Amino acid sequence: GFRPQVLDIYVPATPGPHPLVLYIHGGGWQGGSYRRPAAFGDFPRVLAGLASEGFTVASLEYRLSGEARFPAQLRDVNAALRFLRAEAPKYRIAPARVGLWGGSAGGHLAAQAALACRNVALDPAAANDTCVQTAVAWYGVFDLAAMPRIGEAGSPEQRLIGCEGAPCAAEPLRA
């Protein structure tokens, strides 16, 4: 509710339905952009290229750790999945052929969304419509407890789970 969340959506020119690729940007959960990830110079062109190959592609904006603590970011990914499936005919999406792709923090969120798609403890709205068929976690973070900076006050990992300046409790790390 802090601000509207948006998606950029690229739809192939050919009739569908098409598989969906949902891209989740990195940036330590505290920065980054769904339009300008660091790994690509002209990211809209990359996404348009995927669309020209027959994929409907969406690039997701999510709440950063300065706006909301975990699991808000996961809930934003799930909300985008629900929206895209509900609007599947409009965007020519094959709702049973959905994949996530994320880099770094986005890789963490892609993996987590794929593995916790029915976890109502993390997202009360989680249901079958958030499950995906594939996920690409491009240099993602998989174990926050093993991150070298987890004990440093104000680290991106501490900001994400809300334990800034104190040792992080085991339960948020496990989640």
Side-chain angles (χ1 to χ4, degrees):
F2 179 71
R3 64 180 168 85
Q5 300 299 299
V6 297
L7 292 165
D8 282 352
I9 303 173
Y10 300 77
V11 181
T14 58
H18 304 284
L20 170 68
V21 174
L22 176 60
Y23 179 78
I24 308 165
H25 72 82
W29 309 278
Q30 60 188 2
S33 170
Y34 69 107
R35 289 190 173 157
R36 290 179 298 282
F40 298 98
D42 184 356
F43 195 55
R45 185 176 181 163
V46 171
L47 299 181
L50 282 173
S52 74
E53 295 293 328
F55 296 93
T56 297
V57 182
S59 184
L60 166 71
E61 178 180 45
Y62 59 86
R63 288 173 286 174
L64 302 174
S65 61
E67 299 173 68
R69 300 290 184 232
F70 176 82
Q73 299 76 15
L74 176 63
R75 292 176 180 172
D76 292 346
V77 172
N78 288 344
L81 288 168
R82 285 190 296 274
F83 168 80
L84 290 163
R85 282 202 168 106
E87 299 293 329
K90 179 178 180 179
Y91 299 112
R92 299 194 293 265
I93 295 168
R97 299 176 66 200
V98 176
L100 301 173
W101 168 34
S104 191
H108 166 258
L109 294 172
Q112 189 159 57
L115 294 171
C117 69
R118 292 184 184 95
N119 188 330
V120 294
L122 292 174
D123 184 355
N128 290 340
D129 65 347
T130 64
C131 292
V132 297
Q133 288 65 55
T134 191
V136 176
W138 200 25
Y139 58 97
V141 177
F142 302 105
D143 184 357
L144 292 178
M147 294 296 291
R149 301 175 299 198
I150 194 65
E152 294 177 19
S155 71
E157 297 80 12
Q158 282 193 355
R159 289 182 54 136
L160 175 69
I161 59 177
C163 60
E164 293 178 76
C168 295
E171 186 54 35
L173 290 172
R174 260 194 311 277

